[in-house]
Amino acid sequence: MLSNETFYLTTVVILCALCQSVVGVGLIMIGLPTLILSGYSFDHALSICLPGSLIINVFQVLAERSNYRRADLVSYASISVIYAAFLFYLNLVIGLSFSKLTAGIILLLTGLVGFMPPVRERFLITLNVRPAVTNTAIGVIHSISSLGGSLLSLTGTARYAESADARRFIAGGYLSLGMIQLAFYSTHGVSITPVLYSLIAVPAYFISRTLVSPYVNHQKLKAFIFILILIYGALLIKQSM
């Protein structure tokens, strides 16, 4: 019989894989704060969410490899360099690690921007004005919170009108960030051993993409996710105090 913890973690991974199949984010953007709010350490939560997210990203990128544009690759290279530089500097030089307060503020702002259409539209237009600044911001935010995917997902929405194109961009960005994150944290105390959850995430993603995603109201699910992110942000800020 599955223990309560195993059942809980399995449920979180499957639901996040469903979200990822519909809107392009899930295991890191939603799963990570869910587990941290549930009392798991950042390292443990990352060990559960990151491998599965990376495997899904690999399949997503391979499926869309012929559709990536030069501008996408330039963004990924820029984001990766900024992220790697700040990750090493903040962790090894300054000694700054994951902060619930910082993560909470980022989620709170993301939820507000995403849930309020007038604010979101103005913000999305702003993201396209200076791509270099946006790429830098994604790398910096991810280095201090592992939630750079919040700005990455908004950037994908800003650059591409079609949801499929936005998901493609988000997948490539997450893969770029995730590979660096995996390499760094696997040598700095994070155990990438809960392979079970990675194995669960992958078939859950493909099953939901085929059997669930076509029948889900994407706009309503997006609205729900932004509300959830908003709540998570407030809870993380409260928990940090």
Side-chain angles (χ1 to χ4, degrees), residues 200-222:
I200 292 171
V202 178
Y205 167 80
F206 283 106
I207 291 172
S208 64
R209 191 178 69 170
T210 304
L211 301 180
V212 180
S213 181
Y215 308 102
V216 171
N217 186 310
H218 288 216
Q219 293 305 316
K220 288 184 178 180
L221 182 58
K222 279 185 180 181

Side-chain angles (χ1 to χ4, degrees), residues 44-126:
H44 194 178
L46 190 66
S47 298
I48 293 169
C49 296
L50 182 59
S53 178
L54 272 177
I55 295 171
I56 291 172
N57 292 151
V58 168
F59 281 112
Q60 289 175 310
V61 169
L62 288 176
E64 295 285 341
R65 61 186 179 279
S66 61
N67 295 322
Y68 280 96
R69 305 174 183 179
R70 185 176 184 277
D72 296 336
L73 302 181
V74 170
S75 289
Y76 300 153
S78 175
I79 291 170
S80 297
V81 170
I82 295 296
Y83 173 55
F86 273 85
L87 181 66
F88 279 85
Y89 180 75
L90 292 175
N91 281 269
L92 302 182
V93 178
I94 297 180
L96 181 66
S97 57
F98 176 82
S99 165
K100 288 184 180 180
L101 178 60
T102 303
I105 292 172
I106 291 169
L107 287 178
L108 194 65
L109 292 174
T110 302
L112 287 172
V113 170
F115 187 65
M116 301 173 66
V119 177
R120 183 174 67 246
E121 292 307 315
R122 288 197 294 270
F123 187 72
L124 292 180
I125 292 172
T126 303

